[in-house]
Amino acid sequence: MKSNNYHLTFFAFIITSFSFAQMHSYAKKIELKGIDSLWHNIEIPNTVFKDLNANLSDIRIYGITATDTIEAPYIHKTSKATQANDEISFNLLNRVHNTKGYYFTYELPNKETINEIILDLKDQNFNWEITLEGSQHQKQWFTILEDYRILSINNDQTNYAFTTLKFSDTSYRYYRLLIKSDVEPKLATVKILKKAKKEAAYRNYQVQSFQVKEQEKNTIVDVELSTKVPLDFLTVTVDDNFDYYRSISLQYLADSVKSEKGWYYNYRPLTTKTLSSMEDNNFELPSILAKKVRIIILNYDNQPLNISSVALRGFIHTLTTRFTAPANYFMVYGKNTDKSPNYDIAKTKIILPQNITNLNLGKTIDIQKKESITTAPLFENKWWLWGITGLIIILLGYFTIGMMKKEL
């Protein structure tokens, strides 16, 4: 009986050791508090991202019991905007022109609410004003947009077009579009849309450093945050009142190397956009973990723009986690070689509860690595070296004297 107890104790010790070995392969851990149901959300704090892989592949949820380790699966979500575009059918009633410009009248077969019209124009290099009106019976017209500019610039410096009409929700049976142009617009297609959008939730990041400098014919804007975080949205504020259309290159700091001449910063391309007085200069970014961002504005022969500020925001990252057994749970992270986990719940459609509560997070703790004990080489001690050297000299002398006596 005692033998069986010893075996069970030894087996439990092995299992527990393996459990902690799994956690010890990571750099950090945070205790999860308040687990009282099957599903909970874990909102990843900003302080975690600086120690994560670029694709966030090294996050695990481990539960530790007296005899086992449990890996809790999760679904990784971001707070992106949810958008549903309903394209509304319509009929083109007439197409006429007079001294004011070219008129296009559209009829919606059913009364629908719309808020966007996309014009596909084959013309290039135009700058026209638009008037959009609505009516229920074509007897009285109400102005929706007036002196609304659409624009196209295509040359060696830029290729930019703004031909989307955006307005508040309207519900008319008829719409009349006036393009104020001396030449007939090459209007290929028109899309009338109802855009239903749930706004994204962002974290606003505080800018730690903001520097603007002119270099040759470019304006370079360097923005630094306090820590590395996910970047998804950038806003550039320009204080000039004149019209401008500048190509810009957005870059992020990938790494830096210190040399004898100082620090060398390696910036990598992120995306290219157009800075325009026609729009709000709000840019969606390919999601990236970064601390420093560089904006290069191509001015060519134009005067530099007055950039007063840059704002950076990122989506909120949440782990919707399933807890099936009682344990002391931790979120662990920080492992360069880790691949993304492969969970069933991330592949199948699961009906989640309506109100999933967020867990409270403990303090971030460094996971101590077990230091391997190394034995110093035997001959590292100089007294051993002197002693062995002396012994070799004595033995050589002894054998030499013995050989001399035999010869005599």
Side-chain angles (χ1 to χ4, degrees):
M1 191 69 180
K2 276 187 177 182
S3 176
N4 289 337
N5 289 338
Y6 287 144
H7 290 159
L8 289 172
T9 303
F10 178 74
F11 182 72
F13 173 76
I14 293 298
I15 292 293
T16 306
S17 300
F18 178 73
S19 303
F20 283 101
Q22 281 184 295
M23 290 185 59
H24 275 88
S25 63
Y26 294 85
K28 308 275 185 178
K29 67 178 180 180
I30 299 177
E31 187 177 1
L32 306 178
K33 301 179 179 180
I35 300 172
D36 57 9
S37 60
L38 180 64
W39 293 96
H40 282 289
N41 286 330
I42 303 168
E43 197 171 291
I44 304 177
N46 289 343
T47 52
V48 168
F49 292 106
K50 62 183 176 64
D51 297 303
L52 289 178
N53 295 338
N55 60 351
L56 311 186
S57 61
D58 53 328
I59 300 178
R60 298 292 185 275
I61 310 299
Y62 283 135
I64 303 300
T65 68
T67 60
D68 200 2
T69 182
I70 304 166
E71 184 170 348
Y74 62 79
I75 303 170
H76 179 203
K77 298 179 179 179
T78 59
S79 57
K80 293 182 179 179
T82 54
Q83 183 169 303
N85 292 343
D86 292 332
E87 189 170 345
I88 309 300
S89 62
F90 63 92
N91 299 316
L92 174 63
L93 291 184
N94 58 55
R95 179 175 184 156
V96 297
H97 74 279
N98 59 19
T99 55
K100 291 184 179 180
Y102 289 80
Y103 290 85
F104 303 84
T105 303
Y106 303 102
E107 177 192 19
L108 273 59
N110 301 306
K111 191 175 180 180
E112 299 276 3
T113 299
I114 68 169
N115 49 27
E116 189 169 297
I117 298 177
I118 300 174
L119 307 177
D120 180 12
L121 290 152
K122 299 304 179 184
D123 307 83
Q124 292 185 349
N125 296 312
F126 60 82
N127 186 0
W128 296 328
E129 290 184 347
I130 291 284
T131 296
L132 178 65
E133 299 172 306
S135 175
Q136 300 295 1
H137 40 64
Q138 296 195 77
K139 293 180 181 179
Q140 185 178 11
W141 292 91
F142 298 92
T143 301
I144 301 170
L145 295 173
E146 189 173 17
D147 298 332
Y148 188 96
R149 292 176 62 194
I150 59 174
L151 178 77
S152 171
I153 300 175
N154 190 349
N155 54 38
D156 294 337
Q157 298 179 4
T158 185
N159 184 5
Y160 173 76
F162 179 73
T163 59
T164 300
L165 313 183
K166 298 180 180 181
F167 44 89
S168 301
D169 289 356
T170 60
S171 181
Y172 293 103
R173 182 71 182 274
Y174 302 95
Y175 290 89
R176 185 166 66 186
L177 176 67
L178 168 60
I179 301 178
K180 299 177 182 179
S181 168
D182 296 332
V183 297
E184 183 177 1
K186 298 174 184 176
L187 185 54
T189 59
V190 174
K191 287 184 179 179
I192 298 179
L193 302 176
K194 177 185 178 183
K195 295 190 70 173
K197 185 175 182 180
K198 180 184 176 183
E199 294 294 331
Y202 291 100
R203 282 181 182 159
N204 296 307
Y205 303 127
Q206 186 174 1
V207 175
Q208 182 172 291
S209 174
F210 171 74
Q211 296 179 342
V212 181
K213 63 182 179 182
E214 306 300 329
Q215 190 174 79
E216 297 178 350
K217 292 186 177 183
N218 298 331
T219 299
I220 299 177
V221 183
D222 285 327
V223 185
E224 182 176 0
L225 304 173
S226 59
T227 186
K228 185 167 68 172
V229 286
L231 303 179
D232 299 281
F233 205 79
L234 178 144
T235 302
V236 180
T237 302
V238 181
D239 285 346
D240 299 299
N241 294 322
F242 54 80
D243 286 342
Y244 56 85
Y245 316 97
R246 311 285 171 88
S247 296
I248 64 174
S249 172
L250 303 178
Q251 304 177 350
Y252 71 98
L253 182 65
D255 53 58
S256 56
V257 179
K258 191 173 183 180
S259 64
E260 295 179 355
K261 296 181 180 180
W263 284 96
Y264 169 75
Y265 297 100
N266 178 23
Y267 282 89
R268 291 182 183 173
L270 187 58
T271 185
T272 57
K273 300 288 184 178
T274 299
L275 202 63
S276 167
S277 55
M278 298 282 290
E279 302 182 72
D280 295 332
N281 292 322
N282 298 323
F283 305 112
E284 291 188 21
L285 306 175
S287 187
I288 189 71
L289 290 180
K291 181 180 178 182
K292 293 183 179 181
V293 173
R294 172 168 287 177
I295 306 167
I296 301 176
I297 305 172
L298 308 181
N299 297 318
Y300 296 102
D301 295 325
N302 303 295
Q303 72 178 75
L305 298 173
N306 182 18
I307 309 298
S308 60
S309 66
V310 173
L312 287 164
R313 292 182 285 171
F315 293 130
I316 298 170
H317 290 254
T318 302
L319 308 179
T320 300
T321 312
R322 185 178 66 192
F323 300 92
T324 57
N328 190 17
Y329 284 94
F330 295 87
M331 179 174 72
V332 300
Y333 58 96
K335 185 176 179 181
N336 294 334
T337 58
D338 231 4
K339 296 181 180 179
S340 297
N342 189 358
Y343 299 132
D344 289 339
I345 62 172
K347 297 177 181 178
T348 57
K349 290 184 178 180
I350 294 178
I351 300 175
L352 298 173
Q354 290 292 327
N355 299 312
I356 301 178
T357 57
N358 287 359
L359 290 180
N360 296 319
L361 304 182
K363 293 181 179 179
T364 302
I365 300 172
D366 293 331
I367 298 177
Q368 299 297 325
K369 299 289 189 270
K370 292 182 178 180
E371 295 184 4
S372 57
I373 301 173
T374 56
T375 305
L378 181 64
F379 299 119
E380 189 175 314
N381 192 310
K382 64 179 181 180
W383 295 110
W384 277 101
L385 290 173
W386 282 111
I388 292 174
T389 303
L391 180 61
I392 291 172
I393 293 171
I394 293 170
L395 289 173
L396 287 173
Y398 174 78
F399 287 117
T400 302
I401 295 171
M403 289 174 66
M404 292 174 63
K405 286 183 177 180
K406 287 181 179 179
E407 291 179 358
L408 293 173

